Amino acid sequence: MNNPSISFRPGIDLPEVVASAQSGELVIVNLSLDRRRFLKLSGLATSGLLLAFGTLVPQRSGATEQADEVAGAAPDSPHFAPNGYLTLSPDGSIVIVAVTPEIGQGVKTAFPMVVAEELDVDWDAVTVVQSEIDFERYGPQFAGGSMGTPIHFDRLRKAGATARAMLVAAAAERWQVDPEACKTSRAEVLHPHTNERLSYAEICLDAGKQPVPENVSFKDRKDYQILGKWKPGVDNHAIVTGQPLFGYDQQLPDMRYAMYVKCPATGGIAIDANLDAIRAARGIEDAFILSAKGADHQLLSGVAIIGESSWAVMSAANQLQVKWDRSQACNDTWSEFVDRAQEDFQKGGSITHSSGDFSAAQADAHQHIVSEYSYEFAAHACLEPMNCLAHYHDGIMEIWAPSQTPQSIPGEVATVTEIESSQVKVHQLRIGGGFGRKLINDVVCEVAAIAERVPYPVKLIWTREQDMAHDFYRVGGFHKVEGTLSKQGKLSGWKGHFITFHPHGQPDQTVRGGGMGAYLFPYPVLPNVELQETRYDLRIPCGWWRAPGSCTLAWVIQGFLHELSTAAGRDHLEFLLELMGEDRWLDEGNLDALHTGRAKAVLRLAAEKGNWGEPLPEGHGRGIAFYLSHKGHFAEVAEVSVSEGRTLKLHRVVVAGDVGTILNKSGAENQIEGSIVDGYSAILGQSVTFSNGVVDQSNFHDYSLLRIGEQPQIEVHMIESDFPATGLGEPALPPLGPAVCNAIFQATGKRIRKLPLTREGFSV
């Protein structure tokens, strides 16, 4: 059994967080730390909760200084700051920091809700501010892999509970009573026996003089007043009123704009360009060639153009003529991989896993079903294109970055410039769409290399075309799958040949999101399984795309399971429930391992709410699928209709999920609905192909996103189990593809084995 885990690996030249993949496994690689510091920090991060910050007044931090600004307090005013997560002041103000990047997943609201719940204050009394970047203070600060909740939940609870315990101790000392005889409610400490009460504001300075308790008690979930409720996002008003939260909004005095033009084929080197003509263009201040530096995901060779406006630099970029050396550049062609895969399916691949005896199962089988599936590459297509603002002044490189991995920025800037990482200051910004793309800080490296050479702030902007041409794409793949059925219609064996890709020159690895493990359902519950793999060398850059690995593997596995149940003449829900077997956790305590009881519960709930088994009009179909991804058990029922000419209408999607405790129901529904829309958009028509190393698509006219009129009705039903709270950014997406395609089969008899659906002739 694979054991997805968080690990820290020092000294690796990669973005700080993130490596992982196919299984939802997320490896955290911290990379700008020397070994001594690494040991210190990783020990803190794994042995408990990093909460040893100042409790004394008036020690200040960047976060509390920001809190003062919000609260209108004087910078040196006394306050109670038991840890880096919250500040209480005698004037009654309560400020809680949001520590991780907000990419629309709702953590800027949900995580402070956890602190407020354990602190026991009214949510309406809380002011939320974004924290500074500080590993020693907050541990890992990143947004990816739906890891935020499992990493931070107990840390946040302890932050609030610690403060509450110190406030209780201060009140008890003043009353000369046992702290155990006190309780809290709505920012007050109460002593029920004497009916005395003190507000947090009245005793917060005394609380700062109390020792920090090592162990604290958490509230019982039945007593929650904030968690598990619907709370609007703390940035909602600022967003709808156009406040400058996002990267593209940022402005500084004397700021200039920049564009950075790279070779259309990854790895091409800029040899020469018409720089004099570009510099003479209206509104342009400078233009120069930069050499590649660092890794492939950092600074590539290109031409920087700096000017007084976005229009000036965009216009100049259109006039730019560059002589590229393409001798070492990418020359991959998608259609060649397609042809090659057909040949290699006949040859077979290297066996990566074998349990039981598939050949024997095949010999004894009543039916032997064989199919081939394939899917193309996909782009992230964030609505906010890549951008970043940098200002190099007084020996300091200040960065304003919409990044999912802000802690890795100092180290990466040091790699591509002459600036020490200690001289890099990063400001977190709200991110206008990430989906994994902004885990990689190539745009930050580019603007830092430009800003190092000029005496003013520079905002680097990418056009939509650049975004499409230089993404880190979701990898495509090819699968040949075989299944054996007994006379009773039971699945007795599975054989799979997965053709995927490895990074150029690294055959021992798979590209980001390009692997598959033997832990995926249904492999662990089957008696006979053989998995094979073939890897092709790839120069096209790949990255983590929402629910990496799972976003495509779920479609293959759950789609083929439906082929098998159909061949057996059985109800698909019954077929899946039978496969799950008795209720059990396949790896006790491992949240990434299948829990058949949770899986069956969400399947039954989705089926019940989705009217599974009820009759439908002609031309309509209903499909169901299950998948475990990123610690979340999800089942979905999709209802479609297909008219003449293969015009598809997705009417309704019913989602049932189990991620343990729900932090914010508003945010949870938001994430699940977004996953459905994103997943449907991807399977419907999103495809990236490439020829001689150059991506064929360029903008939304040939890489379409779902339109609002095509969105289905979405119903969300959650099981709030007692399992630990886990994330929701990704696990609702994987079941959508197979549920829709299984429904199409019921409606039309057409089996979908290629994605996107436009490749099979469907449209909306």
Side-chain angles (χ1 to χ4, degrees), residues 23-64:
S23 52
E25 175 183 1
L26 185 72
V27 180
I28 295 181
V29 268
N30 188 340
L31 322 220
S32 321
L33 305 177
D34 60 32
R35 179 160 181 80
R36 183 176 178 181
R37 184 163 177 253
F38 157 74
L39 291 172
K40 175 185 175 185
L41 297 180
S42 61
L44 286 167
T46 56
S47 64
L49 302 171
L50 187 61
L51 292 166
F53 325 126
T55 62
L56 303 175
V57 290
Q59 184 181 5
R60 315 302 289 166
S61 69
T64 49

Coordinates of all heavy atoms in Angstrom, one line a residue, residues 23-64:
S23 N -1.4 9.9 -6.9 CA -2.2 9.3 -5.9 C -2.8 10.2 -4.9 O -3.3 9.8 -4.0 CB -1.3 8.4 -5.1 OG -0.3 9.2 -4.7
G24 N -2.5 11.5 -5.2 CA -2.9 12.4 -4.2 C -1.8 12.6 -3.3 O -1.9 13.4 -2.4
E25 N -0.8 11.8 -3.5 CA 0.4 12.0 -2.6 C 1.0 13.4 -2.8 O 1.1 13.8 -4.0 CB 1.4 10.9 -2.9 CG 2.7 11.1 -2.1 CD 3.7 10.1 -2.4 OE1 3.4 9.2 -3.3 OE2 4.8 10.1 -1.8
L26 N 1.3 14.0 -1.8 CA 2.0 15.3 -1.9 C 3.2 15.3 -1.1 O 3.2 15.1 0.1 CB 1.0 16.4 -1.4 CG 1.5 17.8 -1.7 CD1 1.5 18.1 -3.2 CD2 0.7 18.8 -0.9
V27 N 4.3 15.5 -1.8 CA 5.6 15.6 -1.0 C 6.0 17.1 -0.9 O 5.9 17.8 -1.9 CB 6.7 14.8 -1.8 CG1 8.0 14.9 -1.0 CG2 6.3 13.4 -2.0
I28 N 6.3 17.5 0.2 CA 6.7 18.9 0.4 C 8.2 18.9 0.4 O 8.8 18.3 1.2 CB 6.1 19.4 1.7 CG1 4.6 19.5 1.6 CG2 6.7 20.8 1.9 CD1 4.0 20.0 2.8
V29 N 8.7 19.6 -0.6 CA 10.1 19.7 -0.6 C 10.5 21.2 -0.3 O 10.2 22.1 -1.0 CB 10.7 19.3 -2.0 CG1 11.0 17.9 -2.1 CG2 9.7 19.7 -3.1
N30 N 11.3 21.3 0.7 CA 11.6 22.6 1.1 C 13.1 22.9 0.7 O 13.9 22.2 1.1 CB 11.6 22.8 2.6 CG 11.8 24.2 3.0 OD1 12.3 24.9 2.2 ND2 11.3 24.5 4.1
L31 N 13.2 23.8 0.0 CA 14.4 23.8 -0.8 C 15.3 24.9 -0.7 O 16.4 24.8 -1.2 CB 13.9 23.8 -2.1 CG 12.8 22.9 -1.7 CD1 12.5 21.9 -2.5 CD2 12.5 22.5 -0.4
S32 N 15.0 25.9 0.1 CA 15.9 26.9 0.2 C 16.6 26.8 1.6 O 17.2 27.8 2.0 CB 15.2 28.2 0.2 OG 14.2 28.2 -0.8
L33 N 16.4 25.8 2.3 CA 17.0 25.7 3.6 C 18.2 24.8 3.7 O 18.3 23.8 3.0 CB 15.9 25.0 4.5 CG 14.5 25.6 4.5 CD1 13.6 24.8 5.4 CD2 14.6 27.0 5.1
D34 N 19.2 25.2 4.5 CA 20.3 24.4 4.7 C 19.9 23.2 5.6 O 18.8 23.3 6.2 CB 21.5 25.1 5.2 CG 21.2 25.8 6.6 OD1 20.4 25.2 7.3 OD2 21.8 26.9 6.8
R35 N 20.8 22.2 5.7 CA 20.3 21.0 6.4 C 20.1 21.3 7.9 O 19.1 20.8 8.5 CB 21.4 19.9 6.3 CG 21.0 18.7 7.0 CD 21.7 17.5 6.5 NE 21.3 16.3 7.3 CZ 20.2 15.7 7.1 NH1 19.4 16.1 6.1 NH2 19.8 14.6 7.8
R36 N 20.9 22.2 8.5 CA 20.7 22.4 9.9 C 19.3 23.0 10.2 O 18.6 22.6 11.1 CB 21.8 23.3 10.4 CG 21.8 23.6 11.9 CD 22.9 24.5 12.3 NE 22.9 24.8 13.7 CZ 23.8 25.5 14.4 NH1 24.8 25.9 13.7 NH2 23.6 25.8 15.6
R37 N 19.0 24.0 9.4 CA 17.7 24.7 9.6 C 16.6 23.7 9.2 O 15.5 23.7 9.8 CB 17.6 25.9 8.7 CG 16.4 26.7 8.9 CD 16.5 28.2 8.4 NE 15.3 28.9 8.6 CZ 14.5 29.2 7.6 NH1 14.8 28.9 6.4 NH2 13.4 29.8 7.8
F38 N 16.8 22.9 8.2 CA 15.8 22.0 7.8 C 15.4 21.0 9.0 O 14.3 20.8 9.2 CB 16.3 21.1 6.6 CG 15.7 19.8 6.5 CD1 14.4 19.7 6.0 CD2 16.3 18.6 6.8 CE1 13.8 18.5 5.8 CE2 15.7 17.4 6.7 CZ 14.5 17.4 6.2
L39 N 16.5 20.5 9.6 CA 16.2 19.6 10.7 C 15.4 20.3 11.8 O 14.5 19.8 12.4 CB 17.5 19.1 11.3 CG 18.3 18.1 10.4 CD1 19.7 17.8 10.9 CD2 17.5 16.8 10.2
K40 N 15.8 21.5 12.1 CA 15.1 22.3 13.1 C 13.6 22.5 12.8 O 12.7 22.2 13.6 CB 15.8 23.6 13.3 CG 15.0 24.6 14.3 CD 15.7 25.9 14.3 CE 15.0 26.9 15.2 NZ 15.6 28.2 15.1
L41 N 13.4 22.9 11.5 CA 12.0 23.2 11.2 C 11.2 21.9 11.0 O 10.0 21.9 11.3 CB 12.0 24.0 9.9 CG 12.7 25.4 10.0 CD1 12.6 26.1 8.7 CD2 12.0 26.2 11.1
S42 N 11.8 20.9 10.3 CA 11.0 19.7 10.1 C 10.6 19.1 11.4 O 9.6 18.5 11.6 CB 11.7 18.8 9.2 OG 12.9 18.4 9.7
G43 N 11.5 19.2 12.4 CA 11.2 18.6 13.7 C 10.0 19.3 14.3 O 9.1 18.7 14.8
L44 N 10.0 20.6 14.2 CA 8.9 21.4 14.7 C 7.6 21.1 14.0 O 6.6 20.9 14.6 CB 9.2 22.9 14.6 CG 10.2 23.5 15.5 CD1 10.6 24.9 15.1 CD2 9.6 23.5 16.9
A45 N 7.7 20.9 12.7 CA 6.5 20.7 11.9 C 5.9 19.3 12.1 O 4.7 19.2 12.0 CB 6.9 20.9 10.4
T46 N 6.7 18.4 12.5 CA 6.2 17.0 12.6 C 5.9 16.6 14.1 O 5.2 15.7 14.3 CB 7.1 16.0 12.0 OG1 8.4 16.2 12.6 CG2 7.2 16.3 10.5
S47 N 6.5 17.3 15.0 CA 6.4 16.8 16.4 C 5.3 17.5 17.1 O 4.9 17.1 18.2 CB 7.7 17.1 17.2 OG 7.9 18.5 17.2
G48 N 4.6 18.5 16.5 CA 3.5 19.1 17.2 C 3.1 20.3 16.5 O 3.2 20.4 15.3
L49 N 2.8 21.3 17.3 CA 2.3 22.5 16.7 C 3.2 23.6 17.0 O 3.7 23.8 18.1 CB 0.9 22.8 17.3 CG -0.1 21.6 17.1 CD1 -1.3 21.9 17.9 CD2 -0.4 21.5 15.7
L50 N 3.5 24.4 16.0 CA 4.4 25.5 16.0 C 3.8 26.7 16.6 O 3.2 27.5 15.8 CB 5.0 25.7 14.7 CG 6.2 26.7 14.5 CD1 7.3 26.2 15.3 CD2 6.5 26.8 13.1
L51 N 3.8 26.9 17.9 CA 3.1 28.0 18.5 C 3.9 28.8 19.5 O 3.3 29.6 20.2 CB 1.8 27.4 19.2 CG 0.8 26.8 18.3 CD1 -0.2 26.0 19.2 CD2 0.1 27.8 17.5
A52 N 5.2 28.6 19.4 CA 6.0 29.2 20.5 C 6.3 30.7 20.1 O 7.5 31.0 19.8 CB 7.2 28.4 20.7
F53 N 5.4 31.5 20.1 CA 5.6 32.9 19.7 C 5.4 33.8 21.0 O 5.0 33.3 22.0 CB 4.7 33.4 18.6 CG 4.4 32.4 17.6 CD1 3.1 32.1 17.3 CD2 5.4 31.6 17.0 CE1 2.8 31.1 16.4 CE2 5.1 30.7 16.1 CZ 3.8 30.4 15.8
G54 N 5.7 35.0 20.8 CA 5.6 35.9 21.9 C 4.3 36.0 22.5 O 3.3 36.1 21.8
T55 N 4.2 35.9 23.8 CA 3.0 36.1 24.5 C 3.0 37.5 25.2 O 2.0 37.9 25.8 CB 2.8 35.1 25.6 OG1 3.8 35.2 26.6 CG2 2.7 33.7 25.0
L56 N 4.1 38.2 25.1 CA 4.2 39.4 25.9 C 3.9 40.6 25.0 O 4.2 40.6 23.8 CB 5.7 39.5 26.4 CG 6.1 38.3 27.3 CD1 7.6 38.5 27.7 CD2 5.3 38.2 28.5
V57 N 3.4 41.6 25.6 CA 3.2 42.8 24.9 C 4.4 43.7 25.1 O 5.1 43.6 26.1 CB 2.0 43.5 25.5 CG1 0.7 42.7 25.1 CG2 2.0 43.7 27.0
P58 N 4.7 44.6 24.2 CA 4.1 44.8 22.9 C 4.9 44.2 21.8 O 5.1 45.0 20.8 CB 4.0 46.3 22.9 CG 5.2 46.8 23.5 CD 5.6 45.7 24.5
Q59 N 5.4 43.0 21.8 CA 6.1 42.4 20.7 C 5.3 42.4 19.5 O 4.1 42.1 19.5 CB 6.6 41.0 21.1 CG 7.4 40.4 20.0 CD 7.8 38.9 20.4 OE1 7.3 38.4 21.4 NE2 8.6 38.3 19.6
R60 N 5.9 42.8 18.4 CA 5.1 42.9 17.1 C 5.6 42.0 16.1 O 6.8 41.7 16.0 CB 5.1 44.4 16.6 CG 4.9 45.4 17.7 CD 3.6 45.3 18.4 NE 2.5 45.6 17.6 CZ 1.2 45.3 17.9 NH1 1.0 44.6 19.0 NH2 0.3 45.7 17.1
S61 N 4.8 41.7 15.2 CA 5.2 41.0 14.0 C 4.5 41.7 12.8 O 3.7 42.6 13.0 CB 4.7 39.5 14.0 OG 3.3 39.5 13.9
G62 N 5.0 41.3 11.6 CA 4.3 41.9 10.4 C 2.9 41.7 10.4 O 2.1 42.6 10.1
A63 N 2.4 40.5 10.8 CA 1.0 40.3 10.8 C 0.2 41.1 11.8 O -0.8 41.7 11.6 CB 0.7 38.8 11.1
T64 N 0.8 41.2 13.0 CA 0.1 42.0 14.0 C 0.2 43.5 13.7 O -0.7 44.3 14.1 CB 0.7 41.8 15.4 OG1 2.1 41.9 15.4 CG2 0.3 40.4 15.9

